[in-house]
Amino acid sequence: MRRLTLIPATALAAAFALAPFAAKAQDGDPAAGQRVFNQCRACHTINEGGRNGVGPNLHGVVGRAAGSVEGFRYSANMQEWREGQTWTEANLRTYLANPKDLLPRGSMAFAGLRNPTQLNDVIAYLKAN
């Protein structure tokens, strides 16, 4: 015979109260991501219609065809990789954690984001823009 275990009402209330925060932690915080993105501003802009810098404008990057910003000259490695590729959260996560993992011969001079919270936050910021 199975034993029924009852969970105290206070434990259930706490679990439901904390659920939105757990989801937010996994999804990232766009406001915190904006602060993380400040590291990227030396090379990238993110405003709609913004100019390209050393790197392409990143407005609308999530869901955009890779290597498709008009007027930006991409590295040979990016030109090879981009065929049929779209920037998704998954490949952005790989690229932003360590660009050389995705494009070993790419020209982005950024070592990557090692902090998972910062990575989630900056991706949330990119999605919001």
Side-chain angles (χ1 to χ4, degrees), residues 60-82:
V61 69
V62 179
R64 180 172 75 200
S68 64
V69 173
E70 190 88 20
F72 186 77
R73 199 181 80 164
Y74 290 95
S75 69
N77 198 198
M78 175 62 84
Q79 290 176 29
E80 293 166 8
W81 179 79
R82 72 181 177 190

Side-chain angles (χ1 to χ4, degrees), residues 2-128:
R2 289 189 176 178
R3 177 180 264 178
L4 180 63
T5 304
L6 296 176
I7 300 172
T10 54
L12 282 175
F16 283 115
L18 294 174
F21 297 106
K24 184 175 181 175
Q26 185 178 2
D27 293 341
D29 177 3
Q34 183 176 12
R35 291 187 294 277
V36 176
F37 187 80
N38 285 334
Q39 299 175 56
C40 312
R41 289 192 189 281
C43 298
H44 297 278
T45 61
I46 195 162
N47 52 322
E48 186 174 6
R51 64 169 179 70
N52 294 320
V54 172
N57 178 288
L58 297 178
H59 181 79
V61 69
V62 179
R64 180 172 75 200
S68 64
V69 173
E70 190 88 20
F72 186 77
R73 199 181 80 164
Y74 290 95
S75 69
N77 198 198
M78 175 62 84
Q79 290 176 29
E80 293 166 8
W81 179 79
R82 72 181 177 190
E83 290 302 314
Q85 296 290 333
T86 300
W87 284 115
T88 63
E89 287 184 53
N91 59 22
L92 273 170
R93 183 171 304 284
T94 299
Y95 190 64
L96 294 174
N98 182 359
K100 299 299 182 192
D101 282 350
L102 191 64
L103 297 170
R105 295 174 286 114
S107 60
M108 187 153 110
F110 177 64
L113 289 171
R114 302 291 187 249
N115 181 312
T117 301
Q118 288 183 335
L119 193 54
N120 289 337
D121 292 344
V122 81
I123 289 173
Y125 178 68
L126 290 172
K127 284 171 51 178

